[in-house]
Amino acid sequence: MDKNLKRMTTMHRMQTKGLELFYKKGFYNTSIDDILKELSLSKGAFYYHFQSKEDFFISIIQNLVVRKVYGMLIEPIEGETDPFTAIEKCFENALAIAEHNELDYGFVLGNFMNEFNGRNEEISKYLRDIYKVWEVNLVTTLQKGKTDGYVARHVDSEGVAAFLISSYMGIRMLMVEGNSRNLSYHFLQQIRQYMKSLAQTRLV
Amino acid sequence: MDKNLKRMTTMHRMQTKGLELFYKKGFYNTSIDDILKELSLSKGAFYYHFQSKEDFFISIIQNLVVRKVYGMLIEPIEGETDPFTAIEKCFENALAIAEHNELDYGFVLGNFMNEFNGRNEEISKYLRDIYKVWEVNLVTTLQKGKTDGYVARHVDSEGVAAFLISSYMGIRMLMVEGNSRNLSYHFLQQIRQYMKSLAQTRLV
DNA sequence: AAAATTACCGACCAAGTGGTCGGTTCAAAA
DNA sequence: TTTTGAACCGACCACTTGGTCGGTAATTTT
């Protein structure tokens, strides 16, 4: 267990830095040497721990991306009874993090889905699976919201889920350079407007 | 003029094939040789017409992307008096084209903005300019829609424009593999719902 | 203390990359 | 017919890429 610690530490350092650079510069446009240079490690160390660049990336998905998407975008909505409020808070939080230039894993997901689509089927599958869990979770919460009287009954939960995710990824795509604060404000405003039109009208 | 024709033909062939491959595999992940091989042309021919790979890409933006975005996404909305109907038709058409695997220039734009962001400031600027024209045009049309009684007066035109574009790009990001038909149907349904909530309630 | 295993080093390799350059083809101008 | 120049060819260059491999230092196991 003690010797496993060293192994884990080094692997984790590589994965963290790897994700940072892959996200910033793209997977195909980031060399292993780029990562190794920043960590002052050698090729030998890398290929001792990972079989290939692809294998390395898959380990990043499984160890970092999956968990973060869960923590940031799935769990905060999961148990909640009022779906629209939960979703609003969740997006608000995620966009705030994105503004501070930290990794926003919702968009990390979309970003990589985009880069690997049609180029690497295996990796694409891993990413799509995460997306699907996210989507299913949203649908479930929305459906439950109907029984609890928060969501209008005519609402197409699957359509709404797909639309929410896609608009979120879209706004993140446009949130570059300086206008990101302005954009995320606009986005949250409009998402509220949209969700309001889907809410069950309460009879008082 | 006659000899200019040959020049133009070759350049256009390179640009068309270049856009196709850059879009499919990414700019940095597509070599000039990849393009040349498919056209049975040589390096010499390429560097006779273009100064560099970057210069080549800029010419593609100016000659293909700009015009197509105008034709597909800006002009169809520009003159219309009823903004929401025009936008709906426009998106419907663009998504139908995307489904048939043809180049969808709205997303081409987003795709490249994403790839070049933080990596090539010059190219990013060209792309952002196109985006801005699109946005401004939407805002203008929405504002006019207020005077004409189609758009509710409380609506924040800039917010709506940003939201429409981002959700469009987002849905295109997710429209991969087989479920694209389903997704685009959902998207159009939800976009209608959203826009309905922004429409001026007509007094009959 | 000796042996074995883990973690890491860095020179090396084949296959590309963007870009250069001296040369060739061929239609139009002289 | 000769000359000229635009359009194109392809060998070549310096450099980077993912990946290999023989070696070594340090730590555990025996």
Side-chain angles (χ1 to χ4, degrees), chain A residues 89-100:
Chain A
K89 294 288 169 214
C90 179
F91 280 180
E92 217 172 306
N93 176 53
L95 289 180
I97 288 174
E99 270 172 34
H100 295 92

Side-chain angles (χ1 to χ4, degrees), chain B residues 133-195:
Chain B
V133 173
W134 188 8
E135 195 193 19
V136 165
N137 186 272
L138 272 177
V139 171
T140 309
T141 307
L142 286 167
Q143 285 291 30
K144 198 170 162 296
K146 283 189 196 173
T147 1
D148 295 348
Y150 289 96
V151 179
R153 280 189 205 90
H154 68 82
V155 162
D156 170 18
S157 300
E158 279 160 33
V160 173
F163 188 70
L164 285 171
I165 293 178
S166 69
S167 60
Y168 178 79
M169 286 191 180
I171 201 72
R172 282 295 288 110
M173 204 158 172
L174 297 177
M175 275 172 67
V176 293
E177 37 135 16
N179 67 341
S180 69
R181 175 146 203 86
N182 205 13
L183 263 179
S184 74
Y185 170 78
H186 279 329
F187 172 78
L188 290 169
Q189 203 83 354
Q190 297 306 315
I191 258 310
R192 266 182 224 115
Q193 164 80 28
Y194 166 67
M195 292 198 295

Side-chain angles (χ1 to χ4, degrees), chain B residues 17 22 35 54 90-91 110 116 125 131 135 154 165-166:
Chain B
K17 182 59 75 180
F22 287 152
I35 300 163
E54 182 177 331
C90 178
F91 280 0
F116 289 107
K125 200 180 167 329
Y131 162 75
E135 195 193 19
H154 68 82
I165 293 178
S166 69

Side-chain angles (χ1 to χ4, degrees), chain B residues 8-137:
Chain B
M8 289 306 182
T9 305
T10 306
M11 286 176 82
H12 192 261
R13 282 181 69 217
M14 289 177 179
Q15 288 164 337
T16 307
K17 182 59 75 180
L19 177 59
E20 183 194 323
L21 294 189
F22 287 152
Y23 177 63
K24 211 186 285 177
K25 315 200 301 163
F27 176 79
Y28 293 109
N29 200 34
T30 302
S31 70
I32 294 169
D33 279 333
D34 287 343
I35 300 163
L36 263 14
K37 201 182 294 167
E38 291 209 25
L39 298 173
S40 298
L41 285 168
S42 68
K43 272 262 175 72
F46 182 86
Y47 281 94
Y48 176 72
H49 290 294
F50 302 100
Q51 286 178 27
S52 65
K53 194 185 179 188
E54 182 177 331
D55 174 72
F56 175 56
F57 188 75
I58 291 173
S59 86
I60 289 178
I61 298 176
Q62 293 175 323
N63 285 288
L64 298 179
V65 181
V66 169
R67 290 172 202 187
K68 286 289 184 173
V69 170
Y70 260 86
M72 282 190 56
L73 299 160
I74 296 181
E75 277 168 17
I77 294 173
E78 204 157 23
E80 303 296 315
T81 44
D82 180 354
F84 294 139
T85 307
I87 290 166
E88 189 191 321
K89 295 286 169 216
C90 178
F91 280 0
E92 217 172 304
N93 176 53
L95 288 180
I97 288 174
E99 270 172 34
H100 295 93
N101 272 324
E102 290 170 50
L103 285 177
D104 164 13
Y105 287 83
F107 184 56
V108 165
L109 185 64
N111 210 1
F112 286 136
M113 279 177 78
N114 201 33
E115 183 171 8
F116 289 107
N117 177 37
R119 286 166 229 172
N120 189 315
E121 188 47 38
E122 195 187 351
I123 291 182
S124 291
K125 200 180 167 329
Y126 279 102
L127 297 168
R128 259 195 324 261
D129 284 348
I130 303 177
Y131 162 75
K132 273 177 190 157
V133 173
W134 188 8
E135 195 193 19
V136 165
N137 186 272

